[in-house]
Amino acid sequence: MADQRKNPTIGFAGIGNMGEPMAANLLRAGADLVVWNRTAGRTAGLQALGARVATSVEELFAAAGTVILMLVDEAATDEVLRRSTPAFPELVAGRLVISTASTSPEYSRGLGADIAAAGGRYAEAPVSGSRSPQRPAGSWRSSAGIRPTSPRRALPWRRRAVRPSPAARPEAGCS
């Protein structure tokens, strides 16, 4: 099992319009990055930049101590995490899971509690942004849920992938 405290490799699931440039920013910042997407062809550009490509979500989690999820919604997050299945605790135990999706507070609290119960850690860091012809790489902002007891190592990826939002919510989901 990859332990987040001992494994600096970052996993990234969800290589879409927002995930691809975020993952590319991590690579440009020197991160050891493994990527996975439900549509495998979406990972080719990141592989060309130096990312390793996992062939399954299980392989992604096995390789990384921290996994960033840039998924469209709660249903996609549950599907990728195999939530409510015996595979879920095996995926998240010992790892920091960072969800960048915009989800309800209730969902985020529940997901954080489930990950903690399985022996993992959770941070909520919703991302918003856009692409335009003038900014094809995108302009992204993130608000992260940070508690005073959260480890400082939990969110250094944020400075490399997106611009932190001044409106970060200190009481939001982090466990």
Side-chain angles (χ1 to χ4, degrees):
M1 164 180 41
D3 186 312
Q4 181 258 330
R5 293 171 294 255
K6 298 176 186 170
N7 183 349
T9 300
I10 298 172
F12 202 107
I15 310 303
N17 288 335
M18 293 174 74
E20 183 177 22
M22 288 170 57
N25 286 344
L26 288 167
L27 286 166
R28 283 191 281 278
D32 179 22
L33 190 68
V34 178
V35 297
W36 175 83
N37 197 67
R38 289 181 285 182
T39 305
R42 298 293 307 249
T43 61
L46 293 169
Q47 186 174 28
L49 292 175
R52 289 177 285 143
V53 177
T55 59
S56 68
V57 72
E58 291 80 8
E59 184 181 336
L60 175 77
F61 274 81
T66 298
V67 178
I68 301 169
L69 305 174
M70 183 69 231
L71 302 169
V72 68
D73 58 21
E74 297 167 2
T77 301
D78 287 346
E79 178 186 333
V80 167
L81 290 177
R82 315 291 194 254
R83 198 165 172 205
S84 301
T85 75
F88 175 79
E90 294 173 26
L91 288 177
V92 303
R95 291 172 184 79
L96 171 62
V97 178
I98 301 170
S99 176
T100 62
S102 296
T103 60
S104 73
E106 296 79 18
Y107 175 83
S108 186
R109 279 191 291 276
L111 179 59
D114 288 352
I115 290 171
R121 297 184 59 104
Y122 173 75
E124 174 189 33
V127 172
S128 63
S130 63
R131 284 181 156 177
S132 68
Q134 295 79 24
R135 291 185 128 172
S139 175
W140 318 114
R141 290 183 86 67
S142 172
S143 297
I146 303 168
R147 293 184 179 161
T149 57
S150 297
R152 288 192 161 274
R153 69 182 172 273
L155 298 172
W157 69 272
R158 216 168 58 120
R159 287 187 291 276
R160 294 183 258 168
V162 298
R163 191 170 62 219
S165 170
R169 301 183 335 247
E171 74 288 349
C174 202
S175 61

Coordinates of all heavy atoms in Angstrom, one line a residue, residues 82-175:
R82 N -15.1 3.4 -6.0 CA -15.7 2.1 -5.7 C -16.4 2.2 -4.3 O -16.4 1.2 -3.5 CB -14.7 1.0 -5.7 CG -13.7 0.9 -6.9 CD -14.4 0.5 -8.2 NE -13.5 0.2 -9.2 CZ -13.2 1.0 -10.2 NH1 -13.7 2.1 -10.4 NH2 -12.3 0.5 -11.2
R83 N -16.9 3.3 -4.0 CA -17.6 3.6 -2.7 C -18.7 2.6 -2.5 O -19.4 2.2 -3.5 CB -18.1 5.0 -2.7 CG -18.3 5.5 -1.3 CD -18.5 7.0 -1.3 NE -18.9 7.5 0.0 CZ -19.5 8.6 0.2 NH1 -19.8 9.4 -0.8 NH2 -19.9 9.0 1.4
S84 N -18.9 2.1 -1.3 CA -19.9 1.2 -0.9 C -19.6 -0.2 -1.5 O -20.5 -1.0 -1.7 CB -21.3 1.6 -1.4 OG -21.6 2.8 -0.8
T85 N -18.3 -0.5 -1.8 CA -17.9 -1.8 -2.2 C -16.7 -2.2 -1.4 O -16.1 -1.4 -0.8 CB -17.5 -1.9 -3.7 OG1 -16.2 -1.3 -3.9 CG2 -18.5 -1.2 -4.6
P86 N -16.4 -3.5 -1.3 CA -15.2 -3.9 -0.6 C -13.9 -3.3 -1.1 O -12.9 -3.3 -0.3 CB -15.2 -5.4 -0.7 CG -16.7 -5.8 -1.0 CD -17.2 -4.6 -1.8
A87 N -13.9 -2.9 -2.3 CA -12.7 -2.3 -2.9 C -12.3 -0.9 -2.3 O -11.2 -0.5 -2.3 CB -12.8 -2.2 -4.4
F88 N -13.4 -0.2 -1.9 CA -13.2 1.2 -1.4 C -12.1 1.3 -0.3 O -11.2 2.1 -0.5 CB -14.5 1.8 -0.9 CG -14.4 3.1 -0.3 CD1 -14.3 4.3 -1.1 CD2 -14.5 3.3 1.1 CE1 -14.2 5.5 -0.5 CE2 -14.4 4.5 1.7 CZ -14.3 5.7 0.9
P89 N -12.2 0.6 0.8 CA -11.1 0.7 1.8 C -9.7 0.4 1.3 O -8.8 1.0 1.7 CB -11.5 -0.2 3.0 CG -12.8 -0.9 2.6 CD -13.2 -0.4 1.2
E90 N -9.6 -0.6 0.4 CA -8.3 -0.9 -0.1 C -7.7 0.2 -0.9 O -6.5 0.4 -0.9 CB -8.4 -2.2 -1.0 CG -8.8 -3.4 -0.2 CD -9.1 -4.6 -1.1 OE1 -8.6 -4.7 -2.2 OE2 -9.9 -5.5 -0.7
L91 N -8.6 1.0 -1.7 CA -8.1 2.1 -2.5 C -7.6 3.2 -1.6 O -6.6 3.8 -1.8 CB -9.2 2.6 -3.4 CG -9.6 1.7 -4.6 CD1 -10.8 2.4 -5.3 CD2 -8.4 1.5 -5.5
V92 N -8.4 3.6 -0.6 CA -8.1 4.9 0.1 C -7.3 4.8 1.4 O -6.7 5.8 1.8 CB -9.5 5.6 0.5 CG1 -10.3 5.9 -0.8 CG2 -10.3 4.8 1.5
A93 N -7.1 3.6 1.9 CA -6.4 3.4 3.2 C -4.9 3.9 3.0 O -4.3 3.6 2.0 CB -6.4 2.0 3.6
G94 N -4.5 4.8 3.9 CA -3.1 5.3 3.9 C -2.9 6.4 2.9 O -1.7 6.9 2.8
R95 N -3.9 6.8 2.2 CA -3.7 7.9 1.2 C -4.5 9.2 1.6 O -5.5 9.1 2.3 CB -4.2 7.3 -0.1 CG -3.4 6.2 -0.7 CD -4.0 5.6 -1.9 NE -3.2 4.5 -2.3 CZ -3.2 3.3 -1.7 NH1 -4.0 3.0 -0.7 NH2 -2.4 2.3 -2.1
L96 N -4.0 10.2 1.0 CA -4.7 11.5 1.0 C -5.5 11.6 -0.3 O -4.9 11.5 -1.4 CB -3.7 12.7 1.1 CG -4.4 14.1 1.0 CD1 -5.4 14.4 2.0 CD2 -3.3 15.1 0.9
V97 N -6.8 11.7 -0.2 CA -7.7 11.8 -1.3 C -8.2 13.3 -1.3 O -8.8 13.7 -0.4 CB -8.9 10.9 -1.2 CG1 -9.8 11.0 -2.4 CG2 -8.4 9.4 -1.2
I98 N -7.9 14.0 -2.4 CA -8.3 15.4 -2.6 C -9.4 15.4 -3.7 O -9.1 15.1 -4.8 CB -7.2 16.3 -3.0 CG1 -6.1 16.2 -1.9 CG2 -7.6 17.7 -3.2 CD1 -4.8 16.8 -2.3
S99 N -10.6 15.9 -3.3 CA -11.7 16.0 -4.3 C -11.8 17.5 -4.7 O -11.9 18.3 -3.9 CB -13.0 15.6 -3.7 OG -14.1 15.8 -4.6
T100 N -11.7 17.7 -6.0 CA -11.8 19.0 -6.6 C -13.2 19.3 -7.2 O -13.4 20.4 -7.7 CB -10.7 19.3 -7.6 OG1 -10.9 18.4 -8.7 CG2 -9.3 19.1 -7.0
A101 N -14.1 18.4 -7.0 CA -15.4 18.6 -7.6 C -16.2 19.5 -6.7 O -16.0 19.6 -5.5 CB -16.1 17.2 -7.7
S102 N -17.2 20.2 -7.3 CA -18.1 21.0 -6.5 C -19.3 20.0 -6.1 O -20.1 19.6 -6.9 CB -18.7 22.1 -7.3 OG -17.7 23.0 -7.7
T103 N -19.3 19.7 -4.8 CA -20.3 18.7 -4.3 C -21.0 19.4 -3.1 O -20.5 20.4 -2.6 CB -19.6 17.4 -3.8 OG1 -18.7 17.7 -2.8 CG2 -19.0 16.7 -5.0
S104 N -22.1 18.8 -2.7 CA -22.8 19.3 -1.5 C -22.0 19.2 -0.3 O -21.2 18.2 -0.1 CB -24.1 18.7 -1.4 OG -23.9 17.3 -0.9
P105 N -22.1 20.0 0.7 CA -21.4 19.8 2.0 C -21.7 18.5 2.7 O -20.8 17.9 3.2 CB -21.9 21.0 2.9 CG -22.4 22.0 1.9 CD -22.9 21.3 0.7
E106 N -23.0 18.1 2.6 CA -23.3 16.8 3.2 C -22.6 15.6 2.5 O -22.1 14.7 3.2 CB -24.8 16.5 3.0 CG -25.7 17.5 3.8 CD -25.8 18.9 3.1 OE1 -25.6 19.0 1.9 OE2 -26.2 19.9 3.8
Y107 N -22.5 15.7 1.2 CA -21.8 14.6 0.5 C -20.3 14.6 0.9 O -19.7 13.6 1.2 CB -21.9 14.8 -1.1 CG -21.1 13.8 -1.8 CD1 -21.5 12.5 -2.1 CD2 -19.8 14.1 -2.2 CE1 -20.7 11.6 -2.7 CE2 -19.0 13.2 -2.9 CZ -19.5 12.0 -3.1 OH -18.7 11.0 -3.8
S108 N -19.7 15.8 0.9 CA -18.3 15.9 1.2 C -18.0 15.4 2.6 O -17.0 14.7 2.8 CB -17.8 17.4 1.0 OG -16.4 17.5 1.2
R109 N -18.8 15.8 3.6 CA -18.7 15.3 5.0 C -18.8 13.8 5.0 O -18.0 13.1 5.7 CB -19.7 16.0 5.9 CG -19.3 17.4 6.3 CD -20.1 17.9 7.5 NE -21.5 18.1 7.1 CZ -21.9 19.3 6.5 NH1 -21.1 20.3 6.3 NH2 -23.2 19.4 6.1
G110 N -19.7 13.2 4.3 CA -19.9 11.8 4.3 C -18.7 11.1 3.7 O -18.3 10.1 4.2
L111 N -18.3 11.6 2.5 CA -17.1 11.0 1.9 C -15.9 11.1 2.8 O -15.2 10.1 2.9 CB -16.8 11.7 0.5 CG -15.6 11.2 -0.3 CD1 -15.8 9.7 -0.6 CD2 -15.5 12.0 -1.5
G112 N -15.7 12.2 3.4 CA -14.6 12.4 4.3 C -14.6 11.4 5.5 O -13.6 10.8 5.9
A113 N -15.8 11.2 6.0 CA -16.0 10.2 7.1 C -15.7 8.8 6.7 O -15.1 8.0 7.4 CB -17.4 10.4 7.7
D114 N -16.2 8.5 5.5 CA -16.0 7.1 4.9 C -14.5 6.9 4.7 O -14.0 5.8 5.0 CB -16.8 6.9 3.6 CG -18.3 6.8 3.9 OD1 -18.7 6.7 5.0 OD2 -19.0 6.8 2.9
I115 N -13.8 7.9 4.1 CA -12.4 7.7 3.9 C -11.6 7.6 5.2 O -10.7 6.7 5.3 CB -11.8 8.9 3.0 CG1 -12.4 8.7 1.6 CG2 -10.3 8.9 3.0 CD1 -12.1 9.9 0.7
A116 N -12.0 8.4 6.2 CA -11.3 8.3 7.5 C -11.5 7.0 8.1 O -10.6 6.4 8.7 CB -11.8 9.5 8.4
A117 N -12.8 6.5 8.0 CA -13.1 5.2 8.6 C -12.3 4.0 8.0 O -12.0 3.0 8.6 CB -14.6 4.9 8.5
A118 N -11.9 4.2 6.7 CA -11.1 3.2 6.0 C -9.6 3.4 6.2 O -8.8 2.7 5.6 CB -11.5 3.3 4.5
G119 N -9.2 4.5 6.9 CA -7.8 4.7 7.2 C -7.1 5.6 6.3 O -5.9 5.7 6.3
G120 N -7.9 6.4 5.6 CA -7.3 7.4 4.7 C -7.6 8.8 5.2 O -8.2 9.0 6.3
R121 N -7.1 9.8 4.5 CA -7.4 11.2 4.8 C -8.0 11.9 3.6 O -7.9 11.4 2.5 CB -6.1 11.9 5.1 CG -5.4 11.3 6.3 CD -4.1 12.0 6.7 NE -4.4 13.4 7.0 CZ -4.5 14.0 8.2 NH1 -4.3 13.3 9.2 NH2 -4.8 15.3 8.3
Y122 N -8.8 12.9 3.8 CA -9.6 13.6 2.8 C -9.5 15.1 2.9 O -9.4 15.7 4.0 CB -11.1 13.2 3.0 CG -12.0 13.9 2.1 CD1 -12.1 13.6 0.8 CD2 -12.9 14.9 2.6 CE1 -13.1 14.2 -0.1 CE2 -13.8 15.5 1.8 CZ -13.9 15.2 0.4 OH -14.8 15.8 -0.4
A123 N -9.4 15.7 1.7 CA -9.5 17.2 1.7 C -10.4 17.6 0.5 O -10.4 16.9 -0.5 CB -8.1 17.8 1.4
E124 N -11.2 18.5 0.8 CA -12.1 19.1 -0.2 C -11.4 20.4 -0.8 O -11.0 21.2 0.0 CB -13.4 19.4 0.4 CG -14.4 20.1 -0.5 CD -15.6 20.7 0.3 OE1 -15.5 21.0 1.4 OE2 -16.7 20.7 -0.3
A125 N -11.3 20.4 -2.1 CA -10.6 21.6 -2.7 C -11.3 21.9 -4.0 O -10.8 21.7 -5.1 CB -9.2 21.3 -2.9
P126 N -12.6 22.4 -4.0 CA -13.3 22.6 -5.2 C -12.6 23.6 -6.1 O -12.0 24.6 -5.6 CB -14.7 23.2 -4.8 CG -14.7 23.1 -3.3 CD -13.3 22.7 -2.8
V127 N -12.6 23.3 -7.4 CA -11.9 24.2 -8.4 C -12.9 24.7 -9.4 O -13.9 24.1 -9.8 CB -10.9 23.3 -9.2 CG1 -10.3 24.1 -10.3 CG2 -9.8 22.8 -8.2
S128 N -12.7 26.0 -9.7 CA -13.5 26.6 -10.7 C -12.6 27.3 -11.7 O -11.4 27.6 -11.4 CB -14.5 27.6 -10.2 OG -13.8 28.7 -9.5
G129 N -13.0 27.5 -12.9 CA -12.2 28.2 -13.9 C -12.7 28.0 -15.3 O -13.8 27.5 -15.5
S130 N -11.9 28.4 -16.2 CA -12.4 28.3 -17.6 C -11.2 28.4 -18.6 O -10.1 28.7 -18.2 CB -13.3 29.5 -17.9 OG -12.6 30.7 -17.8
R131 N -11.5 28.0 -19.8 CA -10.5 28.1 -20.9 C -11.1 29.1 -21.9 O -12.3 29.2 -22.0 CB -10.4 26.7 -21.6 CG -9.5 25.8 -20.8 CD -9.5 24.5 -21.7 NE -8.3 23.7 -21.3 CZ -8.0 22.6 -21.8 NH1 -8.7 22.1 -22.8 NH2 -6.9 22.0 -21.5
S132 N -10.2 29.7 -22.6 CA -10.7 30.6 -23.7 C -9.6 30.6 -24.8 O -8.5 30.1 -24.5 CB -10.8 32.0 -23.1 OG -9.6 32.6 -22.8
P133 N -9.9 31.1 -25.9 CA -8.9 31.1 -27.0 C -7.7 31.9 -26.5 O -6.6 31.6 -26.9 CB -9.6 31.8 -28.2 CG -11.1 31.6 -27.9 CD -11.2 31.5 -26.4
Q134 N -7.8 32.9 -25.7 CA -6.7 33.7 -25.2 C -5.9 32.9 -24.1 O -4.7 33.2 -23.9 CB -7.2 35.0 -24.6 CG -7.8 36.0 -25.6 CD -9.2 35.6 -25.9 OE1 -9.9 34.9 -25.1 NE2 -9.7 36.0 -27.1
R135 N -6.6 32.0 -23.4 CA -5.9 31.2 -22.3 C -6.3 29.8 -22.5 O -7.0 29.2 -21.7 CB -6.4 31.7 -21.0 CG -6.0 33.1 -20.6 CD -6.4 33.4 -19.2 NE -5.3 33.8 -18.5 CZ -5.3 34.3 -17.3 NH1 -6.5 34.4 -16.7 NH2 -4.3 34.7 -16.7
P136 N -5.7 29.1 -23.5 CA -6.0 27.7 -23.8 C -5.6 26.8 -22.6 O -6.2 25.7 -22.5 CB -5.3 27.4 -25.1 CG -4.2 28.4 -25.2 CD -4.7 29.6 -24.5
A137 N -4.6 27.2 -21.8 CA -4.2 26.3 -20.7 C -5.2 26.5 -19.5 O -5.1 25.8 -18.6 CB -2.8 26.7 -20.3
G138 N -6.0 27.5 -19.6 CA -7.0 27.7 -18.5 C -6.6 28.6 -17.4 O -5.4 28.9 -17.3
S139 N -7.5 29.0 -16.7 CA -7.3 29.9 -15.5 C -8.1 29.2 -14.4 O -9.3 29.3 -14.4 CB -7.7 31.3 -15.7 OG -7.6 32.1 -14.6
W140 N -7.5 28.6 -13.4 CA -8.2 27.9 -12.4 C -8.0 28.5 -11.0 O -6.9 28.9 -10.7 CB -7.8 26.4 -12.4 CG -7.6 25.8 -13.7 CD1 -6.4 25.4 -14.3 CD2 -8.6 25.7 -14.7 NE1 -6.7 25.0 -15.6 CE2 -8.0 25.1 -15.9 CE3 -10.0 25.9 -14.7 CZ2 -8.7 24.8 -17.0 CZ3 -10.7 25.6 -15.9 CH2 -10.1 25.0 -17.0
R141 N -9.0 28.4 -10.2 CA -8.9 28.8 -8.8 C -9.5 27.7 -7.9 O -10.4 27.0 -8.3 CB -9.7 30.1 -8.5 CG -9.1 31.3 -9.2 CD -9.8 32.6 -9.0 NE -9.4 33.3 -7.8 CZ -8.3 33.9 -7.5 NH1 -7.3 33.8 -8.4 NH2 -8.1 34.6 -6.4
S142 N -8.9 27.6 -6.7 CA -9.3 26.6 -5.8 C -9.6 27.1 -4.4 O -8.9 28.0 -3.9 CB -8.2 25.5 -5.7 OG -8.5 24.6 -4.7
S143 N -10.6 26.6 -3.8 CA -10.9 26.9 -2.4 C -10.8 25.5 -1.6 O -11.4 24.6 -2.0 CB -12.3 27.4 -2.2 OG -12.5 28.6 -2.8
A144 N -9.9 25.5 -0.6 CA -9.7 24.2 0.0 C -10.2 24.2 1.4 O -10.1 25.3 2.1 CB -8.2 23.9 0.1
G145 N -10.7 23.1 1.9 CA -11.2 22.9 3.2 C -10.0 22.6 4.1 O -9.4 21.6 4.0
I146 N -9.6 23.5 5.0 CA -8.4 23.3 5.8 C -8.9 23.5 7.3 O -9.5 24.5 7.6 CB -7.3 24.3 5.5 CG1 -7.0 24.2 4.0 CG2 -6.1 24.1 6.4 CD1 -6.1 25.3 3.5
R147 N -8.5 22.6 8.1 CA -8.7 22.7 9.6 C -7.4 23.0 10.2 O -6.3 22.6 9.7 CB -9.3 21.4 10.1 CG -10.7 21.2 9.6 CD -11.2 19.9 10.3 NE -12.6 19.7 9.8 CZ -13.2 18.5 9.8 NH1 -12.6 17.5 10.4 NH2 -14.4 18.4 9.4
P148 N -7.4 23.6 11.4 CA -6.1 23.8 12.1 C -5.3 22.5 12.3 O -4.1 22.6 12.4 CB -6.6 24.4 13.5 CG -7.9 25.0 13.2 CD -8.5 24.1 12.1
T149 N -6.0 21.4 12.4 CA -5.2 20.1 12.6 C -4.8 19.4 11.3 O -4.2 18.4 11.3 CB -6.1 19.1 13.4 OG1 -7.3 18.9 12.6 CG2 -6.4 19.6 14.8
S150 N -5.1 20.0 10.2 CA -4.7 19.4 8.9 C -3.2 19.5 8.7 O -2.6 20.6 9.0 CB -5.4 20.2 7.7 OG -6.8 20.0 7.8
P151 N -2.6 18.5 8.2 CA -1.2 18.5 8.0 C -0.8 19.5 6.9 O -1.5 19.7 5.9 CB -0.8 17.1 7.5 CG -2.1 16.6 7.0 CD -3.2 17.2 7.7
R152 N 0.3 20.2 7.1 CA 0.8 21.2 6.1 C 1.1 20.6 4.8 O 0.9 21.2 3.7 CB 2.0 21.9 6.6 CG 1.8 22.9 7.7 CD 3.0 23.7 7.9 NE 2.7 24.9 8.6 CZ 2.2 26.1 8.1 NH1 2.1 26.1 6.8 NH2 1.9 27.1 8.8
R153 N 1.4 19.3 4.8 CA 1.7 18.6 3.5 C 0.5 18.3 2.7 O 0.6 17.8 1.6 CB 2.5 17.3 3.8 CG 1.7 16.3 4.5 CD 2.6 15.1 4.8 NE 1.9 14.1 5.6 CZ 1.8 14.1 6.9 NH1 2.4 15.1 7.6 NH2 1.1 13.3 7.6
A154 N -0.7 18.5 3.3 CA -1.9 18.1 2.6 C -2.2 18.8 1.3 O -2.8 18.3 0.4 CB -3.1 18.2 3.5
L155 N -1.8 20.1 1.2 CA -2.2 20.8 0.0 C -1.1 21.6 -0.7 O -1.4 22.5 -1.5 CB -3.3 21.9 0.5 CG -4.5 21.2 1.0 CD1 -5.5 22.2 1.6 CD2 -5.2 20.4 0.0
P156 N 0.1 21.1 -0.7 CA 1.2 21.8 -1.5 C 0.9 21.7 -3.0 O 1.4 22.5 -3.8 CB 2.5 21.2 -1.1 CG 2.1 19.9 -0.5 CD 0.7 20.1 0.1
W157 N 0.2 20.7 -3.4 CA -0.1 20.5 -4.8 C -0.9 21.7 -5.3 O -0.8 22.0 -6.5 CB -1.0 19.2 -5.0 CG -2.3 19.3 -4.4 CD1 -2.7 19.1 -3.2 CD2 -3.5 19.9 -5.1 NE1 -4.0 19.4 -3.0 CE2 -4.5 19.9 -4.2 CE3 -3.7 20.3 -6.4 CZ2 -5.8 20.3 -4.5 CZ3 -5.0 20.8 -6.7 CH2 -6.0 20.8 -5.7
R158 N -1.7 22.3 -4.5 CA -2.5 23.4 -4.9 C -1.8 24.5 -5.5 O -2.1 25.1 -6.5 CB -3.4 23.9 -3.7 CG -4.8 24.3 -4.1 CD -5.6 24.5 -2.8 NE -5.0 25.4 -1.9 CZ -5.7 26.5 -1.6 NH1 -6.9 26.8 -2.0 NH2 -5.1 27.3 -0.7
R159 N -0.6 24.9 -4.9 CA 0.2 26.0 -5.4 C 0.8 25.6 -6.8 O 1.0 26.5 -7.5 CB 1.3 26.3 -4.4 CG 0.8 27.0 -3.2 CD 2.0 27.4 -2.3 NE 2.7 26.3 -1.7 CZ 2.4 25.7 -0.6 NH1 1.3 26.1 0.1 NH2 3.1 24.7 -0.1
R160 N 0.9 24.3 -7.0 CA 1.5 23.9 -8.3 C 0.4 23.8 -9.4 O 0.7 23.9 -10.6 CB 2.3 22.7 -8.1 CG 3.5 22.9 -7.3 CD 4.3 21.6 -7.2 NE 4.0 20.9 -5.9 CZ 4.3 19.7 -5.6 NH1 4.9 19.0 -6.5 NH2 4.0 19.2 -4.4
A161 N -0.8 23.4 -9.0 CA -1.8 23.0 -10.0 C -2.7 24.2 -10.3 O -3.2 24.4 -11.5 CB -2.6 21.8 -9.5
V162 N -3.1 25.0 -9.3 CA -4.1 26.0 -9.5 C -3.7 27.2 -8.6 O -2.9 27.1 -7.8 CB -5.5 25.6 -9.1 CG1 -6.0 24.4 -9.9 CG2 -5.6 25.2 -7.6
R163 N -4.4 28.3 -8.9 CA -4.2 29.5 -8.0 C -5.1 29.5 -6.9 O -6.3 29.4 -7.1 CB -4.4 30.8 -8.9 CG -3.9 32.0 -8.2 CD -3.9 33.2 -9.1 NE -5.3 33.4 -9.6 CZ -5.6 33.8 -10.9 NH1 -4.7 33.9 -11.8 NH2 -6.8 34.0 -11.2
P164 N -4.6 29.5 -5.6 CA -5.6 29.4 -4.5 C -6.5 30.6 -4.5 O -6.1 31.7 -4.8 CB -4.6 29.4 -3.3 CG -3.3 29.0 -3.8 CD -3.3 29.4 -5.2
S165 N -7.7 30.3 -4.1 CA -8.7 31.4 -4.0 C -8.6 32.1 -2.6 O -8.4 31.4 -1.6 CB -10.1 30.8 -4.1 OG -11.1 31.7 -3.8
P166 N -8.8 33.4 -2.6 CA -8.8 34.1 -1.3 C -10.0 33.7 -0.4 O -10.0 34.0 0.8 CB -8.8 35.5 -1.6 CG -9.3 35.6 -3.0 CD -9.0 34.3 -3.7
A167 N -11.0 33.0 -1.0 CA -12.2 32.7 -0.3 C -12.2 31.3 0.2 O -13.2 30.6 0.3 CB -13.4 32.9 -1.2
A168 N -11.0 30.7 0.6 CA -10.9 29.3 1.1 C -11.8 29.2 2.3 O -11.9 30.1 3.1 CB -9.5 29.0 1.4
R169 N -12.4 28.1 2.4 CA -13.4 27.9 3.5 C -12.7 27.0 4.6 O -12.6 25.8 4.5 CB -14.6 27.1 3.0 CG -15.3 27.9 1.9 CD -16.6 27.3 1.4 NE -16.6 25.9 1.5 CZ -16.7 25.0 0.5 NH1 -16.6 25.4 -0.7 NH2 -16.8 23.7 0.8
P170 N -12.3 27.6 5.7 CA -11.5 26.9 6.7 C -12.3 25.8 7.4 O -11.8 24.8 7.9 CB -11.2 27.9 7.8 CG -11.7 29.2 7.3 CD -12.4 29.0 6.0
E171 N -13.7 25.9 7.4 CA -14.5 24.8 8.1 C -14.9 23.7 7.1 O -15.5 22.8 7.6 CB -15.7 25.5 8.7 CG -16.8 25.8 7.6 CD -16.5 27.0 6.7 OE1 -15.5 27.7 7.0 OE2 -17.2 27.2 5.7
A172 N -14.5 23.8 5.9 CA -15.0 22.8 4.9 C -14.3 21.4 5.1 O -13.5 21.2 6.0 CB -14.7 23.3 3.5
G173 N -14.7 20.5 4.3 CA -14.3 19.1 4.5 C -12.9 18.7 4.4 O -12.3 18.7 3.3
C174 N -12.3 18.4 5.5 CA -10.9 17.9 5.5 C -10.8 17.0 6.7 O -11.3 17.3 7.8 CB -10.0 19.1 5.7 SG -8.3 18.8 5.2
S175 N -10.3 15.8 6.5 CA -10.1 14.9 7.7 C -8.8 14.2 7.6 O -8.1 14.3 6.7 CB -11.2 13.9 7.7 OG -11.2 13.1 6.5

